[in-house]
Amino acid sequence: MLTKGDKWLVMVLLSIALAGVGLHMYYIAANGQGQTVIITVNGQTVKTFPLRQGYVGEFRLGDDHGYNIIEYSGGRVRVREADCPDQICVNSGWISMSPQQIVCLPYRVVVKVVAGVPADVDDIAR
Amino acid sequence: MSKTKRLVLLALLVAMAATLHVIEGWLPVPMPVPGAKLGLANTISLVALVIFGWQDAVYIAITRVLLGSLFGGGLFGPAFIMSMGGALISIIIMTHVHNKRAGIFSLVGVSVAGAVAHNLAQVTMAAVIVYSPGLLWYAPYLVLFAVPTGLFTGLAVNYLFAKAPASYWFNIKNKDLQNK
């Protein structure tokens, strides 16, 4: 049923995808442990905090129309709870390495880990 | 094919596509790729493309996404925009592959190309919606998932046309239906 063209297409697409995944893995490994979490809503940064052992807490985003509860502990961060319909953000689980990110598309929330110390030191004290 | 027969067939395809669209949203995908879907509704787009041509496939896709979002929730939300954009772009790519490269690729190849185009379009739209270009890192993982799902849906459509070729749909007589 499969023509030669089909097999080539599948092989080429899989190779490109594997190369992309490999590049992503390499990028994560090269960047090492991420140190800062940036939370953005609609492209606007709403919260920046450092990610390290012993820094535990949670951050609630949203209002009556929808919420995301972001939890951080032990150098990792996740969306613990949200009332969005697809729950993709919750199912994404914990992230801790640099280019990783969690997206809640319905509420346009992005939680991303970046390398480097947060510029806003006051945010830690708050 | 008479006008009435065409209308009935189109309506049936829309009903099947909308049902698959809704049911697919309920299925938990057992994969570590959040947001990935099987693309079952895409099989109907492919069937419509082969039987009726791309214009009717586009009509069916638009109606399917509208009805599916109405039943499943999230009408005109980000999920709706992504479903619509993904479905239309995948039909454009599938039409091109099916019409211009028919000798090289079978329906399985057409389906794989459509599934990959669907996922790439969706991840690009998602990156624009949340203003986060870093989301494009997710594309290779989605392509890795889209190739097997595209193979699966393409084989399903292949089996359908093996049992009931495109000409069958145009030649259904009233007596055939009465004999069944």
Side-chain angles (χ1 to χ4, degrees):
Chain A
M1 272 208 191
L2 288 174
T3 65
K4 212 177 219 176
D6 292 342
K7 284 172 187 159
W8 272 104
L9 183 71
V10 167
M11 293 316 285
V12 166
L13 286 173
L14 280 181
S15 322
I16 293 173
L18 279 175
V21 170
L23 200 65
H24 188 215
M25 296 284 186
Y26 172 77
Y27 194 42
I28 287 176
N31 270 305
Q33 201 81 14
Q35 289 159 303
T36 306
V37 175
I38 299 176
I39 301 172
T40 63
V41 180
N42 257 328
Q44 308 277 310
T45 303
V46 294
K47 175 113 176 136
T48 306
F49 56 85
L51 196 61
R52 53 173 180 245
Q53 297 291 334
Y55 193 71
V56 178
E58 59 178 49
F59 179 65
R60 192 187 155 100
L61 263 180
D63 48 26
D64 297 344
H65 299 296
Y67 66 91
N68 298 74
I69 298 174
I70 293 146
E71 182 186 9
Y72 42 96
S73 112
R76 302 178 302 169
V77 63
R78 69 167 174 175
V79 177
R80 197 188 66 209
E81 202 183 319
D83 64 347
C84 57
D86 54 17
Q87 296 288 304
I88 287 173
C89 50
V90 179
N91 292 332
S92 297
W94 293 98
I95 60 168
S96 60
M97 303 296 250
S98 177
Q100 288 184 314
Q101 51 185 319
I102 302 173
V103 173
C104 182
L105 201 68
Y107 302 149
R108 296 169 191 206
V109 174
V110 179
V111 180
K112 61 181 158 196
V113 181
V114 296
V117 189
D120 186 8
V121 182
D122 284 339
D123 222 20
I124 308 166
R126 205 185 288 152
Chain B
M1 184 161 18
S2 73
K3 256 185 168 172
T4 317
K5 199 184 277 177
R6 182 170 167 276
L7 190 68
V8 168
L9 267 178
L10 282 174
L12 276 172
L13 287 176
V14 167
M16 286 189 276
T19 312
L20 286 174
H21 183 105
V22 173
I23 288 176
E24 196 177 61
W26 298 342
L27 291 177
V29 181
M31 279 289 284
V33 187
K37 279 185 174 181
L38 291 175
L40 296 176
N42 228 31
T43 56
I44 305 295
S45 294
L46 189 52
V47 170
L49 184 65
V50 175
I51 301 177
F52 295 107
W54 68 273
Q55 293 96 332
D56 287 325
V58 167
Y59 295 149
I60 289 174
I62 291 175
T63 322
R64 178 258 288 187
V65 176
L66 271 171
L67 286 176
S69 303
L70 195 62
F71 298 146
L75 190 61
F76 302 124
F80 169 82
I81 298 168
M82 282 174 55
S83 294
M84 188 67 96
L88 294 183
I89 284 177
S90 110
I91 288 177
I92 291 171
I93 297 293
M94 288 199 296
T95 308
H96 181 81
V97 175
H98 182 59
N99 292 350
K100 302 281 163 60
R101 305 275 183 275
I104 308 172
F105 300 115
S106 72
L107 285 180
V108 178
V110 176
S111 171
V112 169
V116 169
H118 192 278
N119 278 283
L120 289 182
Q122 286 203 324
V123 75
T124 310
M125 277 184 285
V128 171
I129 287 174
V130 298
Y131 300 100
S132 177
L135 195 56
L136 293 176
W137 276 115
Y138 201 48
Y141 295 90
L142 284 175
V143 171
L144 214 53
F145 190 77
V147 170
T149 58
L151 268 172
F152 171 73
T153 53
L155 283 172
V157 175
N158 240 350
Y159 282 124
L160 172 73
F161 282 118
K163 293 281 180 202
S167 57
Y168 168 83
W169 304 86
F170 297 94
N171 298 328
I172 302 170
K173 299 269 164 40
N174 283 336
K175 69 174 172 50
D176 293 341
L177 295 175
Q178 280 157 8
N179 289 341
K180 292 249 159 68

